[in-house]
Amino acid sequence: MKAKPYDVEELYYMNIQKQKKVIMEKSYRKKKLCVCVATCNRADYSKLAPIMFGIKADPENFDLEVVVLGSHLIDDYGNTYRMIEQDDFDIHTKLHTIVRGEDESAMVESVGLALVKLPDVLNRLRPDVMIVHGDRFDALALATSAALMNIRILHVEGGEVSGTIDDSIRHAITKLAHYHVCCTRSAEQHLIAMCEDNDRILLAGCPSYDKLLSAMNKEDYMSVLKNWLGEGVNAGDYIVALQHPVTTNIKHSIKMFELTLDALISFNKTILILFPNIDAGSKEMVRVMRKKGIEHHPNFRAVKHVPFEQFIQMVAHAGCMIGNSSCGVREAGAFGTPVINLGTRQTGRETGENVLHVRDADTQNKIFHALELQFGKRYPCSKIYGDGNAVPRILKFLKSIDLDEPMQKKFRFPPVKECFSQDIDYVLETQSALAVDLGGTNLRVAIISMKGEILKKYSQSNPNTYEERIDLILKMCVEAATEAVRFNCRILGVGISTGGRVNPHEGVVLHSTKLIQEWDSVDLRTPISDALHLPVWVDNDGNCAALAEKKFGHGKGVENFVTVITGTGIGGGIIHHNELIHGSTFCAAELGHIMVSLDGPECLCGSRGCIEAYASGMALQREAKKLHDEDMLLVEGMLVKNEEPVSAVHLIQAAKLGNSKADNVLRAAGAALAVGIVNILHTVNPSLVILSGVLAPHYENIVKHVVSQRALTSAQGANVVTSELEEPALLGAASMVLDYTTRRLY
C-alpha cells in the first residue's frame, strides 16, 4: 500500500514548522551560553569571581561550569578552593595538576599534567566559551587545551606588560584566545598591535575593581584588621608584604627577598606577610622566611591566604604595601595606598603616583629608605585599571558572541611597506659608540663597534685650559662622527672616561687629579650632548676599565670582580652583583689610596703610605731617579741620553738586566700593591682580580704570591689575571653607550 503523498499545502506547513524549530533552537542557544570558568590560584579567582557571580545571577542567558585546578588544591597554599565553595559556587571538577618541586622543571611538568587531564573534562562539559585569566603557566595549559578542542576562549587581562616570563605566557594565550577583555587603553592598543581583531576586544576595566571601589567605605574594617593583626594595631600603622619569585632570575629574587625581610625587621612595624605563589623559587623563599624566624617574629603575621574581600580591606588601610605583586601596582592604586614595587617583575605595568619603584633593590639601605619615604603617606585614588563597571560590560560582551561564526581566528595584520634596496645599508649599519679618553697627557677619541673593535682612533695632546679642552673634544668628536659614515657606522652616543671623581648621573667631573688642570665642577654632558645631539655618559677612568672588562674582557659573565689599573697612578673599579659600585659620594674604588703603611712615602693625595706612593708609574720614576742620581741605576747594556728623562721604563729595564736594587724596588712596589689587593679581597670578596695597565705584567706574579701567603683561606680562591685589553679606558667608555642604548635606558 503506497503512502499518501503530501499536497503542496502540507509541505509548506511542514517547512514553516522546521524553520520555526531552527529559529527557536538558535534563540535558545543564544540565550543559554555555556560558560566554563577555570581558576588556578587565589590571585586569578579574585579577578574571575565577580564575573562568575554575574554569570550565576543571569541563569536565563548563561550556564556556569566551574573547574578548579593548580595551587587552589594544595594545603601549603591555603586550600583556597574552599573559598570558592564558601561563595556558593558548584565546582564541577577539581583537577590536581601541580607537580611539587617549585622549580622550573616542576612548572613544565605541571603544564604537561594539566594538558593530560583537561581533555577528558572539556569533552564532558563541552562549553561554548572558556574564560581564562592572566598569565600563569596553568592558564597556558587551559588555553592550549581549549584551542585544540575548538572551544572559544575569552582571555581576561591580555595585552598588559610586566617584566618576567609571565609576559611570554600572557601573549601566547592572547594568540590562542578568540575574545579579549582588557583593563587599560594601553593594553587594548597592545592587543591591536599584536594583530588581534578590534571587534573582539573589549576595554572593560579590571573585574576586581567592581568590589574594590566600594571597599574603602566599609565600616567593619577594624574587625578585619584585628582578626589578622591582633589588638592595638590601627589603620595606617602596618605594612602588607607580598613578594613572589622571578622565574627568569631566581637567585637574584631570593637575594632581594632576604634584603626586603632585613629592611622590614629594621623598620620595626607590624607586618602582614603572605607566602609567595607556587612559581619556581618559592620553596627557597619560604626557606628564607623560616631561616629568619619570620613566622615567630613578634612584628610579623605570616599567612598563606587572606580572603580577597578581607585582603583588599587590609591593603586599603595599610600604611604601605611592599613587594612585587601585581596587586601593588593595580588594586592598591584604587585606595591611594603607598606602594614600594621591588625589582623587575612588574616592569612595564601602568601605575599611579602611589607606586615608588625600586628596580635595583640590591641593598637593605635602599629598601629601608624607600620605606621611610612611603610609609604613612596617602595618595589620590587611581582608576587606571577600572571604574567599577567591568562585569556588566563583560556579560554584555558574552551575550554578543555568535556561535555560528567560524571558529578560525582572523588576524589583522598591518600593511607592510615595500622594501627598497637602499634600506639594506641601514640594516647593515654597525652600531657604534664614540669613546673619549681624557688622560693627563693625551686626549683620545675612537669609533668603537658593538663587538669592541676599534674602527678608528684619534689622538692629540690634552690642552691645559678648560675652554681649549672642551673645544678640542667637540672638534675631534665631530670629525669622528663625520668619518663614521665612511665606515657605515651608526653612532649611538658618546662615552667619556676621565681622571678624577665623577658624578655619572649628572655627567659632571666633581674634581680631578693634579695631572689634569682646570677640571673641577665641569659639566661634560650638556655641551657635548647639545653640540652632537647624542646622549652622553661620563665616568671615572678606573670605573671605565672595569666596565671594559665586564663587556669585552676577563670579567665577562663574572658577577663579582675588581679591576686594578697600574699606570701613571693607581685606580680601579668594583663590579658587585653585576653592577658597578660608585659609592655615596662617587669615590668608591679609589684603590690607589688604600694605605698599606702608616709612615710610607708621601702620596699626591696628601697622605702617606698609599699604594699609589709605592706602585704607580710616578712612584717608580721617583725611585729610578734616586738610583740614577746615586749612579746605581744603569747596568751593562743600558744607556740614558743626557736630555732623556729617567722613567719607570728604565727601572724595569735595569731590573730585567740584573740590577738587584732596581729589582728590589719593583718587588717592594708589587708587594705594596698585593697587600692592598688582599685588603680588597677581605672587604668585597670578589672571585676575580684583573690587573690592567702597562705595569700589570710586572706585578702579576708578586701579587699572586702575596695573596697566597697573606689572604684568608676563604679569599685565596680569587683568581688574579692580567688584562688582555689594549685600550680599557676607551672600551669602557664605549661600553656605557653600547649597553645602555641597546637597553633603551638613559
Side-chain angles (χ1 to χ4, degrees):
M1 183 176 174
K2 288 186 179 179
K4 181 185 173 183
Y6 295 113
D7 59 26
V8 174
E9 197 171 312
E10 284 178 311
L11 286 170
Y12 174 76
Y13 175 76
M14 289 172 67
N15 194 34
I16 291 294
Q17 290 297 104
K18 280 182 181 177
Q19 288 178 11
K20 280 185 178 179
K21 188 178 179 183
V22 170
I23 290 168
M24 285 178 69
E25 284 177 354
K26 281 189 177 180
S27 173
Y28 180 78
R29 205 163 61 206
K30 282 183 181 176
K31 234 173 173 184
K32 282 279 203 179
L33 189 74
C34 182
V35 180
C36 176
V37 178
T39 172
C40 312
N41 54 64
R42 68 191 181 197
D44 78 12
Y45 181 66
S46 69
K47 313 295 177 63
L48 293 171
I51 303 172
M52 292 162 65
F53 279 115
I55 292 171
K56 185 180 178 182
D58 191 358
E60 290 185 5
N61 289 303
F62 301 107
D63 281 330
L64 175 64
E65 301 288 357
V66 180
V67 175
V68 173
L69 65 157
S71 60
H72 273 309
L73 303 171
I74 297 179
D75 181 61
D76 286 351
Y77 294 89
N79 279 329
T80 48
Y81 74 90
R82 292 190 184 120
M83 68 183 178
I84 303 172
E85 294 176 336
Q86 289 166 5
D87 285 340
D88 203 25
F89 288 113
D90 294 326
I91 299 175
H92 179 277
T93 305
K94 295 175 186 171
L95 283 181
H96 291 271
T97 58
I98 296 297
V99 176
R100 299 306 298 273
E102 284 80 9
D103 57 17
E104 295 96 330
S105 299
M107 288 168 66
V108 177
E109 290 168 5
S110 297
V111 171
L113 184 58
L115 288 171
V116 169
K117 291 186 174 186
L118 279 166
D120 179 58
V121 175
L122 297 179
N123 266 327
R124 282 187 277 114
L125 290 177
R126 276 292 161 194
D128 297 315
V129 177
M130 164 87 80
I131 297 182
V132 177
H133 170 269
D135 48 33
R136 310 297 301 138
F137 58 85
D138 324 68
L140 180 61
L142 286 164
T144 303
S145 301
L148 291 172
M149 296 182 72
N150 290 321
I151 297 169
R152 288 170 168 80
I153 302 164
L154 186 144
H155 184 209
V156 180
E157 292 189 7
E160 297 186 13
V161 178
S162 55
T164 66
I165 190 66
D166 295 353
D167 269 348
S168 301
I169 294 175
R170 187 186 310 111
H171 301 331
I173 295 172
T174 291
K175 292 290 99 186
L176 293 168
H178 303 81
Y179 305 94
H180 311 275
V181 172
C182 57
C183 301
T184 68
R185 183 69 64 185
S186 292
E188 180 187 38
Q189 293 303 310
H190 293 156
L191 290 171
I192 293 169
M194 291 165 69
C195 307
E196 295 300 315
D197 188 345
N198 191 37
D199 295 335
R200 295 190 171 195
I201 300 172
L202 172 68
L203 175 55
C206 182
S208 63
Y209 264 57
D210 291 21
K211 280 189 177 182
L212 289 176
L213 296 178
S214 60
M216 194 69 177
N217 301 321
K218 289 191 176 180
E219 296 178 357
D220 63 344
Y221 69 87
M222 281 306 299
S223 62
V224 175
L225 267 59
K226 181 180 175 182
N227 181 43
W228 293 102
L229 300 175
E231 299 281 356
V233 179
N234 297 316
D237 199 31
Y238 63 90
I239 295 169
V240 175
L242 179 52
Q243 199 157 328
H244 301 302
V246 178
T247 55
T248 48
N249 195 344
I250 294 171
K251 185 178 177 183
H252 176 71
S253 61
I254 292 165
K255 178 64 177 174
M256 184 170 67
F257 187 52
E258 282 190 74
L259 296 171
T260 303
L261 294 178
D262 290 338
L264 288 170
I265 291 167
S266 300
F267 201 65
N268 197 29
K269 291 288 181 183
T270 300
I271 296 138
L272 177 73
I273 184 167
L274 279 82
F275 279 75
N277 65 20
I278 201 166
D279 281 352
S282 60
K283 186 167 57 179
E284 288 83 353
M285 290 179 73
V286 172
R287 269 198 211 108
V288 170
M289 289 176 67
R290 287 178 176 151
K291 178 183 171 186
K292 293 185 179 292
I294 295 301
E295 291 170 286
H296 306 290
H297 194 286
N299 285 356
F300 285 81
R301 310 290 183 271
V303 296
K304 294 175 181 177
H305 169 68
V306 180
F308 182 67
E309 288 195 356
Q310 296 180 42
F311 180 66
I312 59 178
Q313 290 283 1
M314 299 297 297
V315 172
H317 297 94
C320 178
M321 184 174 183
I322 188 170
N324 61 7
S325 168
S326 62
C327 176
V329 299
R330 296 169 64 97
E331 282 83 355
F335 314 117
T337 301
V339 172
I340 299 166
N341 179 47
L342 301 174
T344 59
R345 189 170 183 265
Q346 302 301 333
T347 297
R349 292 230 193 243
E350 298 166 78
T351 63
E353 60 181 284
N354 64 309
V355 179
L356 174 64
H357 296 281
V358 186
R359 292 193 175 92
D360 293 322
D362 51 1
T363 67
Q364 178 186 334
N365 285 342
K366 198 179 286 186
I367 299 169
F368 187 88
H369 184 53
L371 285 164
E372 289 180 316
L373 290 174
Q374 286 288 78
F375 185 80
K377 283 189 178 180
R378 292 322 290 184
Y379 291 91
C381 296
S382 164
K383 293 187 178 180
I384 294 172
Y385 286 94
D387 59 2
N389 297 299
V391 172
R393 294 186 185 114
I394 294 169
L395 296 181
K396 186 177 178 182
F397 189 51
L398 281 168
K399 290 174 188 176
S400 72
I401 292 175
D402 183 358
L403 298 179
D404 291 326
E405 281 187 352
M407 277 286 300
Q408 181 58 49
K409 279 185 68 169
K410 290 182 180 178
F411 297 104
R412 303 289 184 177
F413 294 106
V416 180
K417 291 182 180 179
E418 187 178 353
C419 292
F420 297 99
S421 59
Q422 57 262 36
D423 289 342
I424 294 298
D425 290 336
Y426 178 81
V427 173
L428 297 180
E429 276 185 330
T430 303
Q431 291 186 324
S432 307
L434 285 187
V436 180
D437 175 30
L438 278 154
T441 307
N442 293 320
L443 194 164
R444 301 183 303 154
V445 174
I447 305 168
I448 298 178
S449 74
M450 186 66 74
K451 294 181 180 179
E453 182 184 0
I454 299 176
L455 303 173
K456 180 78 174 179
K457 187 163 60 176
Y458 311 81
S459 180
Q460 293 203 33
S461 297
N462 195 347
N464 292 325
T465 66
Y466 163 78
E467 289 82 4
E468 290 177 322
R469 192 173 296 125
I470 288 290
D471 287 344
L472 183 57
I473 291 171
L474 290 173
K475 180 183 175 184
M476 292 175 73
C477 284
V478 168
E479 181 184 350
T482 304
E483 196 160 359
V485 177
R486 186 167 65 83
F487 290 102
N488 201 29
C489 292
R490 181 154 61 97
I491 301 298
L492 301 175
V494 181
I496 302 175
S497 165
T498 178
R501 189 163 64 96
V502 176
N503 179 344
H505 306 311
E506 303 294 333
V508 173
V509 181
L510 299 174
H511 53 73
S512 186
T513 63
K514 293 181 180 179
L515 297 174
I516 308 177
Q517 300 171 14
E518 295 187 22
W519 210 235
D520 294 344
S521 301
V522 174
D523 179 3
L524 275 177
R525 176 176 291 163
T526 302
I528 296 172
S529 183
D530 289 347
L532 299 177
H533 305 291
L534 288 169
V536 175
W537 286 264
V538 187
D539 213 329
N540 165 272
D541 50 7
N543 289 336
C544 284
L547 290 173
E549 295 293 343
K550 182 174 184 289
K551 187 168 182 66
F552 303 112
H554 290 302
K556 196 169 184 178
V558 180
E559 188 176 4
N560 300 289
F561 71 89
V562 173
T563 298
V564 181
I565 301 176
T566 58
T568 307
I570 301 288
I574 299 171
I575 301 292
H576 186 64
H577 293 319
N578 292 313
E579 296 293 334
L580 181 65
I581 302 299
H582 284 101
S584 58
T585 57
F586 312 108
C587 66
E590 286 290 349
L591 308 181
H593 300 292
I594 295 174
M595 291 180 64
V596 292
S597 172
L598 292 176
D599 56 355
E602 187 176 351
C603 181
L604 283 176
C605 71
S607 184
R608 285 185 172 276
C610 299
I611 295 175
E612 190 167 291
Y614 283 100
S616 67
M618 290 186 296
L620 296 184
Q621 183 181 36
R622 180 193 66 225
E623 296 302 315
K625 284 180 177 177
K626 283 183 184 178
L627 290 176
H628 188 258
D629 291 344
E630 296 169 6
D631 290 329
M632 301 175 71
L633 176 66
L634 300 182
V635 294
E636 188 177 347
M638 284 184 67
L639 177 66
V640 178
K641 297 178 182 177
N642 291 334
E643 298 176 0
E644 184 182 0
V646 175
S647 68
V649 174
H650 297 107
L651 185 80
I652 293 167
Q653 186 183 7
K656 283 182 178 179
L657 292 173
N659 186 326
S660 59
K661 292 191 178 296
D663 187 60
N664 288 339
V665 170
L666 268 183
R667 287 184 176 278
L673 177 65
V675 169
I677 288 172
V678 168
N679 290 334
I680 295 168
L681 293 177
H682 293 168
T683 305
V684 294
N685 193 27
S687 61
L688 173 68
V689 176
I690 303 169
L691 302 178
S692 181
V694 293
L695 299 173
H698 307 290
Y699 289 147
E700 181 180 351
N701 290 333
I702 303 173
V703 169
K704 285 181 176 178
H705 176 73
V706 173
V707 166
S708 68
Q709 297 294 314
R710 299 283 191 93
L712 293 172
T713 306
S714 55
Q716 287 179 11
N719 196 16
V720 178
V721 298
T722 297
S723 174
E724 295 176 356
L725 301 179
E726 292 184 9
E727 297 285 1
L730 286 172
L731 288 171
S735 76
M736 291 190 288
V737 177
L738 300 173
D739 276 351
Y740 281 95
T741 50
T742 51
R743 280 195 287 168
R744 297 294 186 267
L745 291 175
Y746 178 43

